[in-house]
Amino acid sequence: RPRYTGLISKYIDRLPISDDVRIIGLGEGGTPLIQLSNLPKAMGRDVDLFVKFEGLNPTGSFKDRGMTMAVTKAVEEGAKAIICASTGNTSASAAAYAARAGIACFVLIPDGKIAMGKLAQAIMHGAQILQIRGNFDAGMRLVKQLAEHAPLTIVNSINPYRLQGQKTAAFEIVEELERAPDYHCLPVGNAGNITAHWIGYCECSGSAHEQKLTEACSLCQGQCRFASAMIDKRPRMVGYQAAGGAPFMRGAPVDDPDTVATAIRIGHPQSWDHALAASRESGGWFDELSDDEILQAQRALADHDGVFCEPASATSLAGAMRDIGSGRIPEGSTVVCTLTGHGLKDPDVAISQAGDAVQTVDADYESVRKAIIARL
Ligand code: F0G
């Protein structure tokens, strides 16, 4: 057996799961926490800025952390089919874990608004793909109705095991830094991941241990086992949204969200109350970014520090950079930005920004030499 087999085995005593369960896993978790050296320098700011690169999970997004738990539990409970609504990453992950488990997988995706890489994954893993003439929020409504009438287990983040799996990202960060960061920045769509991280940090902290259950932690319905105190201070949780779909900034659901960051094109977040609680309890905040700011951050990260994330993921970094620049996040802070998905998920958006990066030249020595010299 390999030494690392995934987050369920590693954290089994901190997850609501029994020791003898058949784990449906793909070696997820254990993603790198990369310190950005060039971007903060380029901004002229003295901060310790890290990215947790969740795009390096098996299907290229953080969803695998939750999916290994949700599918493991579904199989344990005898499920023969799972279902989700998705902007793309959940469907890719659900499809992969269902394939691994040998059960059926139905995914509802918004017609035409899903990145190519994600669709390719769902196809390859043999999911039953239903492209609906509606957005993610419509898909979510349908999935809830369908699961009431048919033997289908929902694997969206309203499935509490999803958040239990995803909380392990916070454990890994605490292990790496031997403390919590001062600020943890995440892109927010359906609001499950910010909730899950807050659960994770609360379980690592003495204060949560004393309080037993914080509002956010009540999600686990008393099932989680609190770790012994590892940190004495929890981070401020900062949630960033795309301006075209920023219900937390509007203070109400948004009916027609739109953004280049298709992964977070969501107007009716399911974990609304929990995400608000995480932000309030932690002393954090929400903010919104334009599509241009998101794409600029995606580009800057790839260009300056060699990390390629998908547009939605860059929302966290775009927000952090703005708040570091303005001083809202003060110098001397330790900041972690979650990069939720890999840049290869959405090649179209990357290539559409090519500008003059790609130049066609004749296949002879002189032409290629001239082209290189012109660019040196
Ligand atoms: N970033 C990426 C790349 C995502 O795919 C998602 C959500 C988020 C951020 C937001 O996380 O919903 O927990 O607030 N994608 C879901 C999906 C909705 O269907 O793949 P959240």
Side-chain angles (χ1 to χ4, degrees):
R1 258 168 62 109
R3 262 200 314 172
Y4 185 83
T5 56
L7 61 87
I8 293 186
S9 327
K10 178 165 181 193
Y11 295 112
I12 196 146
D13 58 342
R14 297 161 79 173
L15 291 166
I17 202 152
S18 57
D19 292 343
D20 55 357
V21 74
R22 174 189 162 213
I23 295 173
I24 312 298
L26 290 163
E28 53 295 302
T31 55
L33 185 66
I34 304 168
Q35 181 156 19
L36 302 186
S37 38
N38 297 324
L39 257 191
K41 223 178 278 162
M43 293 174 62
R45 292 284 161 165
D46 179 22
V47 288
D48 284 322
L49 180 57
F50 297 85
V51 290
K52 178 74 169 158
F53 195 15
E54 292 289 279
L56 294 182
N57 276 295
T59 76
S61 85
F62 72 97
K63 305 287 180 180
D64 297 341
R65 288 185 188 273
M67 208 54 74
T68 185
M69 275 295 291
V71 176
T72 293
K73 286 304 259 191
V75 169
E76 185 184 28
E77 288 160 11
K80 295 280 179 282
I82 59 174
I83 188 167
C84 64
S86 182
T87 55
N89 281 323
T90 301
S91 60
S93 185
Y97 284 81
R100 184 93 168 153
I103 59 174
C105 177
F106 293 88
V107 305
L108 272 64
I109 55 172
D111 188 8
K113 295 285 183 180
I114 156 171
M116 288 284 277
K118 304 174 188 181
L119 183 58
Q121 289 176 290
I123 292 169
M124 288 305 287
H125 293 305
Q128 304 296 321
I129 303 166
L130 302 166
Q131 195 155 260
I132 58 166
R133 293 189 193 90
N135 62 21
F136 171 86
D137 301 305
M140 198 62 244
R141 268 198 304 279
L142 286 164
V143 160
K144 287 199 260 184
Q145 279 172 3
L146 289 158
E148 269 178 30
H149 300 289
L152 298 161
T153 301
I154 299 178
V155 295
N156 283 105
S157 56
I158 56 172
N159 177 326
Y161 298 116
R162 277 278 311 276
L163 301 191
Q164 286 294 309
Q166 285 169 217
K167 75 182 181 184
T168 61
F171 297 168
E172 290 176 12
I173 291 165
V174 169
E175 281 164 31
E176 286 293 313
L177 298 177
E178 296 183 326
R179 51 165 288 194
D182 300 310
Y183 297 86
H184 190 130
C185 307
L186 293 118
V188 172
N190 215 16
N193 210 25
I194 192 167
T195 304
H197 278 76
W198 184 238
I199 295 173
Y201 284 121
C202 290
E203 290 186 23
C204 292
S205 79
S207 56
H209 200 64
E210 280 152 28
Q211 287 168 18
K212 287 293 182 229
L213 290 176
T214 67
E215 194 176 343
C217 284
S218 64
L219 249 197
C220 69
Q221 292 153 347
Q223 292 184 73
C224 68
R225 291 161 229 175
F226 284 94
S228 55
M230 291 168 65
I231 51 174
D232 53 12
K233 197 169 151 283
R234 294 173 288 178
R236 291 179 196 268
M237 304 300 295
V238 187
Y240 295 111
Q241 301 212 279
F248 284 102
M249 296 306 292
R250 307 287 96 82
V254 170
D255 279 334
D256 204 7
D258 203 15
T259 165
V260 69
T262 52
I264 50 172
R265 196 170 159 268
I266 296 172
H268 291 245
Q270 297 295 308
S271 295
W272 180 277
D273 293 343
H274 297 300
L276 261 191
S279 166
R280 283 197 186 129
E281 285 174 27
S282 72
W285 61 87
F286 290 99
D287 209 342
E288 62 189 307
L289 287 301
S290 70
D291 281 4
D292 279 349
E293 289 174 296
I294 292 170
L295 294 180
Q296 264 172 34
Q298 182 196 24
R299 192 74 190 255
L301 175 65
D303 212 28
H304 286 279
D305 275 292
V307 180
F308 185 24
C309 68
E310 68 169 286
S313 309
T315 308
S316 61
L317 184 68
M321 282 167 59
R322 187 210 274 158
D323 286 335
I324 289 167
S326 74
R328 190 173 194 185
I329 295 179
E331 291 218 321
S333 299
T334 298
V335 184
V336 170
C337 293
T338 297
L339 299 180
T340 44
H342 201 287
L344 292 172
K345 292 273 191 175
D346 196 346
D348 292 339
V349 166
I351 291 168
S352 70
Q353 302 174 71
D356 62 357
V358 184
Q359 193 185 341
T360 306
V361 293
D362 290 332
D364 61 72
Y365 178 82
E366 248 336 278
S367 306
V368 177
R369 191 186 69 86
K370 269 196 202 135
I372 289 175
I373 288 189
R375 288 183 170 209
L376 268 182

